[in-house]
Amino acid sequence: MSGHTHGLLVQASSAAARFDALMLTLTLITGAMALVLAALIFFFSIRYRKGSKADRSNPPSGAKGLEAAWTLAPLVIFIAIFAWAAVDYMRLYDPPAGAMPVFVVAKQWMWKVEYPNGRREIDELHVPLGKPVKLVMTSQDVIHSFFVPAFRVKQDVVPGRYTSLWFKATRAGTYHLFCAEYCGTGHSAMRGRVIVMPADAFAHWLQQGNTGSGIAAQGFALFRKYGCSGCHSAGSTVHAPDLTGLLGRTVHLQDGRTLVADEGYIRDSIMLPRKDVVAGYAPIMPSYQGQISEEDVLALIEYIRQTGADHDDRQPR
Ligand code: CUA
């Protein structure tokens, strides 16, 4: 594979052709409408110019049918385009069940990428061809935006919460990665590359330079280092919720709300433990805000995800 980076117009993901078709349709409709209006302005301004011999008798005083038509026709067109765009947009937030998770932490001014097996890279994202990939992203400082023009995907990366993005690369090669949200003086330099490799080459790449322990194993070490295991383990004397298989589980809270535990909920529980207190437990957990890095939080989440996979293979992801 050469070092050549493809141009921005290349279609390299399963979403690209759909968004291009929508964009082209919008451009054609608005362009055709603009042309018609410009031509009519031109024609009328010549035909009815001052001193012309055009017939000005009997001006029209009402045309309800015409008015209804030019009101309803655009309405129908706009609603159809809205529905089309909404369906595509919702697909963007509905990753297929088997999508490979990859973690992205943005900071001024770089992209830190980490794979479940522990392999890390900076400003580069390697992905397999033809396999769905789900990015789980957060920022450790300000708002950034993950943008791969050739994939036609863009998603804000926000401090304090997780956003996600999925895609399926359809064309091997190297593509631009940009930050698309002004994030300080180094914003324009916050660029990277997305490298799409055939699936077997990717599998080989993923094993190289591996640090040895996967993210979940690192998470288990952190679970002990930060003292989580002191309260959240079976033999503990402190009364704390059992975290085994927590991801995807329905949680009942003290104030009567229920929610389904996702990555954001676990992150909030570590950083803002008083926000969503589990029913039947005292709010005694200390906050780890400012004491734990975003990478460590992701590792803890992966450890908790792993306990679910070990515990129950039917656990929804
Ligand atoms: Cu990060 Cu702009």
Side-chain angles (χ1 to χ4, degrees):
M1 214 165 295
S2 72
H4 167 74
T5 303
H6 288 292
L8 306 183
L9 290 177
V10 168
Q11 293 179 346
S13 87
S14 54
R18 298 202 315 268
F19 283 102
D20 285 0
L22 177 63
M23 182 67 192
L24 184 68
T25 305
L26 274 170
T27 308
L28 287 179
I29 291 176
T30 50
M33 208 58 221
L35 270 182
V36 167
L37 290 175
L40 284 175
I41 289 171
F42 187 73
F43 171 72
F44 286 147
S45 56
I46 289 175
R47 177 158 184 195
Y48 296 106
R49 72 189 185 280
K50 188 179 180 190
S52 78
K53 298 258 186 313
D55 179 14
R56 289 181 170 82
S57 64
N58 198 15
S61 60
K64 290 234 165 59
L66 186 63
E67 287 179 19
W70 77 40
T71 305
L72 289 175
L75 182 69
V76 169
I77 293 171
F78 285 144
I79 287 178
I81 288 176
F82 169 76
W84 178 3
V87 167
D88 265 355
Y89 189 79
M90 285 187 289
R91 273 206 237 177
L92 203 58
Y93 292 95
D94 187 22
M100 176 181 81
V102 178
F103 308 97
V104 175
V105 176
K107 62 166 282 196
Q108 291 168 321
W109 289 276
M110 65 173 73
W111 299 100
K112 296 187 282 188
V113 172
E114 192 168 5
Y115 295 83
N117 76 341
R119 174 140 200 189
R120 295 160 188 260
E121 52 184 343
I122 285 178
D123 289 341
E124 290 205 331
L125 171 67
H126 288 72
V127 294
L129 181 65
K131 297 252 171 77
V133 172
K134 179 192 175 193
L135 304 181
V136 177
M137 305 189 288
T138 192
S139 165
Q140 67 182 63
D141 40 45
V142 300
I143 301 175
H144 303 271
S145 181
F146 188 96
F147 180 33
V148 184
F151 290 0
R152 311 291 191 272
V153 293
K154 176 156 64 173
Q155 172 62 53
D156 274 11
V157 179
V158 183
R161 56 181 283 195
Y162 291 111
T163 54
S164 75
L165 183 65
W166 82 272
F167 54 81
K168 189 168 81 185
T170 53
R171 196 172 184 281
T174 303
Y175 305 97
H176 288 289
L177 160 63
F178 293 121
C179 179
E181 181 79 49
Y182 181 66
C183 56
T185 53
H187 160 70
S188 61
M190 191 169 166
R191 284 171 292 152
R193 303 193 304 159
V194 178
I195 297 136
V196 180
M197 312 169 87
D200 48 349
F202 173 78
H204 181 68
W205 174 89
L206 192 58
Q207 292 314 316
Q208 289 175 341
N210 190 356
T211 50
S213 61
I215 296 190
Q218 294 165 23
F220 179 59
L222 293 166
F223 195 71
R224 296 162 70 146
K225 180 186 147 196
Y226 284 107
C228 316
S229 54
C231 302
H232 293 280
S233 64
S236 158
T237 51
V238 180
H239 187 51
D242 175 22
L243 305 183
T244 307
L246 176 61
L247 266 171
R249 206 161 76 191
T250 301
V251 179
H252 299 272
L253 302 181
Q254 198 142 56
D255 56 12
R257 286 178 298 142
T258 54
L259 50 76
V260 174
D262 59 5
E263 290 92 346
Y265 167 71
I266 295 178
R267 188 189 180 284
D268 282 354
S269 299
I270 295 169
M271 303 297 209
L272 309 161
R274 278 156 203 258
K275 184 173 159 231
D276 298 312
V277 177
V278 180
Y281 293 89
I284 53 172
M285 166 144 168
S287 166
Y288 285 80
Q289 189 119 46
Q291 300 173 50
I292 181 168
S293 72
E294 293 297 344
E295 282 94 334
D296 284 0
V297 176
L298 281 170
L300 286 169
I301 291 171
E302 280 319 284
Y303 164 63
I304 291 169
R305 192 197 302 283
Q306 176 102 61
T307 63
D310 294 346
H311 186 243
D312 180 358
D313 287 330
R314 292 163 303 160
Q315 202 74 42
R317 293 289 297 266

